Amino acid sequence: MTLTLRNIAKTFPGGTRALLPTDLDIAEGEIVSLLGPSGCGKTTLLRIIAGLETADAGASIRFKDDDMTHQPVERRKVGMVFQSYALFPNMSVRGNIGYGLKMQRLPRAAIDARVDEVIALCRLEPYAGRTITALSGGQRQRVALARAFAPRPRLLLLDEPLSALDAALRGTLRDELAALLRQFGITAIFVTHDQDEAMAIADRVAVMSQGRVAQIGTPEALYRAPETAFVARFVGNSMPLGGKIDGGTLHLPGGDLTLNATATGKAAFVRAEDVKITADGPLTARVETVTFLGTHYRIALSGATDAPLFCLHQGLTAPKPGETVRVTIAPHAILTLEPEKAAA
Ligand SMILES: Nc1ncnc2c1ncn2[C@@H]1O[C@H](COP(=O)(O)OP(=O)(O)O)[C@@H](O)[C@H]1O
Ligand SMILES: [Mg+2]
């Protein structure tokens, strides 16, 4: 492994345990996302890797054979991109990108050559002479990335770099950022609270909850085989079905569903895209609301399960509110997981 994190924990003065002992291994050129709700410890872990925060005693951070654990920030050869960008507003794009190289006291010609190279790579040529205040949010984001990459870091750390942008732009820039990071070929850790962003950008996603990594895996593995209710809910918005599992059958208020394995005592979850309205379905439900969303209808159903059940329905027509419909869920689409502990 290229980056090896062992026993990384953080207790802030005052006693907040922001991070419980955490291990993480990242391969050369791999892009790993830390995904989790606000306050789960993502930024704390990133700042510890960068050297901006010290971990509790007993931690180890290694990059290949180099023990970084006690190195100061400037020796770690880590590039950082923040949500706020932290660019120098009155400096030009070139000035910002060359800043880290100037701090390294490289000769003028070497700085110019590297800045040209990174400007071309990030397709910033048309803006090279502009000041930061004359750029759009998306352009600033690309300059921040270029500035972090210019000094040839061995590791790039990005903390919610797209969160300051509006929703429409975020989708486009997400794909652009994913492509650029792959072009750089750099090892990177990307922090986000947005599951779509994590899945689009990362090779592997570490889902975090309350200071620990709940599960790490490829986007496909996390989506198809979540190991806990928290991961099932957070990655792909699984809904709890309620009812009661007895052997290979799930008994629900609106009928029975067959599972693909016995799972007595477990809790069942499903995603809205796996809930199908079909004439011979085993569940009976009442249509509550129907919302047309272009690619599909989002339909709220009652009576089949204890809580409202949502269905993403594709087709030219949809049932109407008040109608009774039959519903099915394929056995493989029902996730059976340990029941969640009731909130304290
Ligand atoms: N400097 C600090 N002092 C005290 N508590 C902090 C400090 N920084 C973060 N925390 C707390 O640590 C927890 C994790 O924070 P953070 O790593 O910023 O979460 P995230 O980036 O996932 O939103 C939160 O409860 C937060 O309030
Ligand atoms: Mg954060």
Side-chain angles (χ1 to χ4, degrees):
M1 280 297 162
T2 294
L3 182 69
T4 313
L5 307 179
R6 288 290 174 272
N7 202 28
I8 313 289
K10 179 69 185 180
T11 312
F12 281 107
T16 305
R17 299 209 67 190
L19 212 55
L20 299 167
T22 297
D23 296 346
L24 196 61
D25 293 296
I26 301 183
E28 174 116 57
E30 193 178 26
I31 301 169
V32 169
S33 176
L34 306 178
L35 170 68
S38 177
C40 71
K42 307 179 297 292
T43 294
T44 301
L45 181 53
L46 210 67
R47 287 173 56 84
I48 289 171
I49 298 168
L52 297 169
E53 197 76 74
T54 29
D56 295 349
S60 157
I61 307 171
R62 302 183 68 86
F63 194 94
K64 294 182 182 160
D65 293 333
D66 188 17
D67 187 347
M68 292 164 61
T69 316
H70 302 290
Q71 284 177 359
V73 185
E74 60 276 11
R75 294 260 312 278
R76 295 194 182 198
K77 300 195 206 90
V78 161
M80 286 204 78
V81 181
F82 304 94
Q83 177 181 342
S84 61
Y85 310 142
L87 294 167
F88 304 110
N90 299 314
M91 220 184 257
S92 69
V93 167
R94 283 197 73 88
N96 270 279
I97 296 174
Y99 186 79
L101 302 168
K102 225 165 123 183
M103 290 297 103
Q104 291 179 344
R105 297 174 194 279
L106 292 187
R108 184 79 247 167
I111 295 177
D112 283 343
R114 178 64 177 162
V115 170
D116 285 339
E117 189 181 12
V118 175
I119 282 179
L121 191 58
C122 297
R123 293 187 301 282
L124 283 164
E125 292 99 331
Y127 319 105
R130 287 201 199 166
T131 58
I132 298 303
T133 47
L135 299 179
S136 71
Q139 291 158 354
R140 288 178 200 203
Q141 196 262 331
R142 240 187 295 158
V143 175
L145 184 67
R147 184 180 64 172
F149 185 63
R152 303 179 197 277
R154 54 185 175 180
L155 179 65
L156 205 51
L157 305 174
L158 305 101
D159 193 355
E160 313 235 13
L162 303 174
S163 294
L165 302 164
D166 63 74
L169 195 57
R170 238 173 23 226
T172 320
L173 288 178
R174 176 186 77 199
D175 299 346
E176 185 184 294
L177 180 61
L180 266 180
L181 289 175
R182 296 233 147 51
Q183 222 178 314
F184 291 173
I186 196 165
T187 309
I189 304 179
F190 178 86
V191 162
T192 180
H193 63 271
D194 181 311
Q195 52 146 315
D196 290 340
E197 235 170 72
M199 293 176 79
I201 290 176
D203 298 307
R204 282 190 305 151
V205 177
V207 181
M208 292 182 66
S209 167
Q210 299 183 337
R212 64 173 90 226
V213 174
Q215 190 176 345
I216 181 163
T218 62
E220 287 93 337
L222 288 172
Y223 193 86
R224 294 186 187 138
E227 287 165 4
T228 63
F230 176 81
V231 175
R233 283 175 183 275
F234 205 78
V235 181
N237 307 315
S238 298
M239 301 170 282
L241 283 169
K244 193 172 188 305
I245 295 178
D246 184 7
T249 305
L250 171 61
H251 300 289
L252 291 169
D256 289 350
L257 286 172
T258 303
L259 306 174
N260 64 359
T262 64
T264 305
K266 298 278 182 71
F269 291 82
V270 72
R271 296 195 174 94
E273 67 261 34
D274 293 320
V275 177
K276 309 280 182 207
I277 294 175
T278 151
D280 56 356
L283 301 180
T284 304
R286 181 189 139 92
V287 175
E288 292 295 331
T289 59
V290 179
T291 311
F292 179 60
L293 292 168
T295 56
H296 60 270
Y297 296 88
R298 181 175 160 86
I299 299 176
L301 302 164
S302 67
T305 51
D306 296 312
L309 182 69
F310 287 94
C311 161
L312 303 186
H313 179 77
Q314 287 188 316
L316 294 174
T317 59
K320 303 268 177 299
E323 279 180 34
T324 298
V325 291
R326 308 295 298 233
V327 172
T328 191
I329 303 169
H332 69 82
I334 303 172
L335 304 163
T336 53
L337 300 163
E338 286 304 320
E340 290 168 287
K341 292 188 197 81

